[in-house]
Amino acid sequence: MKKDSYVKDALVLTAITLISGLFLGGVYGLTKEQIDYINNKSTIDSYKQVFPDAETFDDETYADALQAALDEGKIAADNSSAELLSFVAAKDASGQEIGYIVKAQCAGFGGNDIVVTGVDPDLKITGIAFPETLPETAGLGQKATEPEFYEQFAGKTTGLSVKKGGGAGDSEIDAISGATITSTAVVNAVNASTEFVQDYVLK
């Protein structure tokens, strides 16, 4: 009888484990789908922020160029291991290419700072945006999301540098006070993006 009881208990525990696993798997699947939707919407919103005139975003035309850049690794080496994440061509209502949008990341103070950069055909930055919450300190690195910082990038080109009290020159970005690491991470991500457009798209 005792042996039968052990077998019965084992079967019950196995059944509970299987049901729990299936339930958790289902919840994860639904949650992941929702998270993916939110992240994708945030990315598209950031595309529109840096290229408000764009109607469509083509991620296929330059897919081979992006892969070639990733394989070569030069851009990451040039920009403190900044990593290219995705690339799209921005197109107007007629299907004409009006610019390029690169999503890149670089290690900041609290984690990877993800930046979306818009670049026009003259290699001028149309703007930058943050599709995800920056993993940076409130009141310090988080200030990167304030217009006083990110609006500095519009109209500038590649090869930017961070400088305290800078921002006046074509290649300078004024660092956020007390958050030089975050400022540098954002600039590295932007430089990686513009370098990719310069060397692999507009070449």
Side-chain angles (χ1 to χ4, degrees):
M1 269 315 268
K2 211 169 191 181
K3 185 177 179 183
D4 290 343
S5 178
Y6 287 147
V7 171
K8 184 179 178 183
D9 289 346
L11 289 171
V12 170
L13 285 172
T14 301
I16 290 171
T17 303
L18 285 171
I19 292 168
S20 298
L22 289 170
F23 175 74
L24 290 173
V27 170
Y28 171 77
L30 291 172
T31 305
K32 184 178 183 301
E33 194 174 296
Q34 182 67 8
I35 290 171
D36 287 346
Y37 169 78
I38 292 169
N39 286 342
N40 186 57
K41 184 179 184 304
S42 297
T43 296
I44 296 299
D45 287 346
S46 67
Y47 289 173
K48 296 293 288 184
Q49 187 176 333
V50 299
F51 258 108
D53 293 335
E55 290 291 329
T56 58
F57 305 103
D58 171 16
D59 63 354
E60 295 181 0
T61 302
Y62 297 96
D64 289 344
L66 178 61
Q67 191 57 55
L70 293 173
D71 291 343
E72 185 179 49
K74 178 179 175 296
I75 288 175
D78 289 346
N79 299 286
S80 299
S81 299
E83 180 186 3
L84 301 174
L85 299 176
S86 64
F87 175 85
V88 297
K91 296 184 175 183
D92 62 17
S94 69
Q96 182 76 27
E97 263 186 20
I98 57 174
Y100 314 98
I101 303 172
V102 191
K103 185 173 166 180
Q105 67 180 8
C106 190
F109 182 77
N112 284 332
D113 295 333
I114 298 176
V115 187
V116 164
T117 304
V119 185
D120 72 15
D122 296 319
L123 202 62
K124 295 289 186 182
I125 297 168
T126 61
I128 70 168
F130 302 96
E132 299 179 19
T133 302
L134 287 184
E136 303 292 11
T137 307
L140 291 172
Q142 283 285 343
K143 286 186 175 180
T145 62
E146 296 179 1
E148 186 178 351
F149 178 73
Y150 70 73
E151 286 182 351
Q152 296 181 80
F153 291 84
K156 297 191 175 182
T157 187
T158 195
L160 300 176
S161 61
V162 176
K163 183 178 178 183
K164 273 198 168 183
D170 286 342
S171 62
E172 290 180 358
I173 295 296
D174 186 13
I176 302 163
S177 180
T180 304
I181 293 174
T182 302
S183 305
T184 302
V186 173
V187 166
N188 283 331
V190 171
N191 280 339
S193 300
T194 54
E195 186 178 327
F196 170 70
V197 174
Q198 175 181 254
D199 294 349
Y200 291 87
V201 178
L202 298 178
K203 62 179 180 177

